[in-house]
């Protein structure tokens, strides 16, 4: 009786150990699957973003650091698993630190460069020059509404460059529209009681296209009477 009970207990212990071993292996496999799954998703998302930039005509100068090396590690691991699936529990290199974490670093670097590329693109498109002219016009009551409109548009444009858009093509079209609105606001700048020569000069000066010949005596007198001469600078092309 005692021997039978002992044998039964031993069998139960062996069964439990086999179950525990299987459970541990399943946990390890699940961990590996999660690691590879996250890495694959991160890389796929980055690739999608970089392709979106390319399709929008805004190439991102990003080359993964030691990309071929990690591709080779993936190949080695894949071939090893084909030969012996259990190798996943004792891989030829540290999967987390030497592979998955490194891939995450590459992805982070890719997004950083993509973000900087987009920000630089928006800033280049929105190169409106110094704020001197705009600040000067804000002091003239007849121009305050126009200045407020221009500033609101500029704020929207700059805001577009703060982060990578979800839809780069659509956001680029939005950027084109805002810049067009900005230019229209400048070209339509007017006031009934301000001389036409002054309006023409200010419009041109705002885009750095004012010729010295447009700086007439009338323009100088008008600006000087409102203490606005200091807002303008002469530069050589």
């Amino acid at each position: 009786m005692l021997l039978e009970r002992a044998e039964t207990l031993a069998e139960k212990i062996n069964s439990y150990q086999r179950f525990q071993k299987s459970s541990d292996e399943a946990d390890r496999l699940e961990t590996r699957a999660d690691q590879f799954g996250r890495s694959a998703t991160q890389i796929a998302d980055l690739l999608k973003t970089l392709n979106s930039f390319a399709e929008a005509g805004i190439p991102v100068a990003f080359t993964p650091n030691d990309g071929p090396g990690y591709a080779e590690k993936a190949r080695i691991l894949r071939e090893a698993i084909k030969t012996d699936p259990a190798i996943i529990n004792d891989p030829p290199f540290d999967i987390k630190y030497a592979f998955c974490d490194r891939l995450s670093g590459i992805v982070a670097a890719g997004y950083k460069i993509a973000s900087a590329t987009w920000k630089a693109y928006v800033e280049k498109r929105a190169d409106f020059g110094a704020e001197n002219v705009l600040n000067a016009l804000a002091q003239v009551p007849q121009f305050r509404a126009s200045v407020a409109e221009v500033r609101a548009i500029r704020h929207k444009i700059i805001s577009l460059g703060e982060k990578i858009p979800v839809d780069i093509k659509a956001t680029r079209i939005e950027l084109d529209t805002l810049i067009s609105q900005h230019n229209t606001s400048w070209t339509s700048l007017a006031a009934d009681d301000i001389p036409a020569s002054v309006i023409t000069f200010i419009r041109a000066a705002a885009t750095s296209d004012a010729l010295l010949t447009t700086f007439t005596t009338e323009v100088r007198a008008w600006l000087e009477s409102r203490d606005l001469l200091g807002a303008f600078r002469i530069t050589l092309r």
Side-chain angles (χ1 to χ4, degrees):
M1 179 71 69
L2 183 58
L3 178 59
E4 291 177 357
R5 289 181 179 178
E7 290 175 346
T8 301
L9 181 58
E11 180 58 32
K12 287 183 178 181
I13 291 175
N14 289 333
S15 297
Y16 174 78
Q17 289 176 335
R18 287 193 297 270
F19 173 79
Q20 186 65 41
K21 182 178 179 181
S22 299
S23 178
D24 291 343
E25 289 178 353
D27 288 342
R28 285 194 291 269
L29 288 174
E30 184 177 1
T31 297
R32 296 306 188 198
D34 288 342
Q35 289 174 329
F36 292 137
R38 283 194 298 271
S39 294
T41 299
Q42 289 175 342
I43 293 173
D45 289 345
L46 174 61
L47 183 60
K48 181 180 178 181
T49 297
L50 296 179
N51 286 338
S52 296
F53 269 94
E55 291 171 2
I58 311 172
V60 178
F62 171 66
T63 301
N65 184 27
D66 195 23
Y70 292 110
E72 177 63 14
K73 281 188 175 183
R75 186 195 67 78
I76 291 173
L77 186 60
R78 183 176 64 249
E79 294 302 320
I81 291 175
K82 284 182 179 179
T83 303
D84 180 12
I87 198 69
I88 197 67
N89 295 321
D90 186 22
F93 51 84
D94 190 313
I95 291 179
K96 182 182 187 305
Y97 296 105
F99 189 71
C100 292
D101 285 357
R102 296 295 186 273
L103 292 181
S104 294
I106 289 175
V107 170
Y111 278 118
K112 183 177 181 179
I113 294 176
S115 180
T117 299
W118 173 248
K119 184 178 179 64
Y121 173 78
V122 173
E123 289 179 347
K124 183 178 180 180
R125 295 288 310 280
D127 184 12
F128 302 122
E131 291 281 311
N132 295 11
V133 175
L134 200 60
N135 293 335
L137 293 181
Q139 300 176 39
V140 182
Q142 296 94 320
F143 288 139
R144 282 174 185 163
S146 296
V147 169
E149 180 181 356
V150 170
R151 280 178 168 162
I153 295 173
R154 288 188 179 185
H155 177 72
K156 290 180 180 178
I157 291 173
I158 296 303
S159 295
L160 290 180
E162 292 178 353
K163 63 180 181 179
I164 299 175
V166 175
D167 189 332
I168 296 176
K169 274 189 176 180
T171 305
R172 193 187 65 173
I173 293 174
E174 182 182 357
L175 176 62
D176 292 341
T177 301
L178 287 171
I179 291 176
S180 177
Q181 291 175 358
H182 178 274
N183 294 338
T184 299
S185 294
W186 270 120
T187 56
S188 62
L189 189 69
D192 294 335
D193 56 345
I194 295 179
S197 60
V198 175
I199 296 295
T200 300
F201 175 78
I202 290 175
R203 286 176 180 171
T207 56
S208 301
D209 289 329
L211 298 177
L212 192 58
T213 53
T214 64
F215 185 61
T216 63
T217 301
E218 182 181 40
V219 171
R220 178 185 175 88
W222 189 91
L223 294 173
E224 194 169 23
S225 68
R226 289 159 178 78
D227 196 25
L228 298 178
L229 276 179
F232 299 87
R233 297 286 185 275
I234 296 175
T235 59
L236 297 177
R237 291 187 174 182

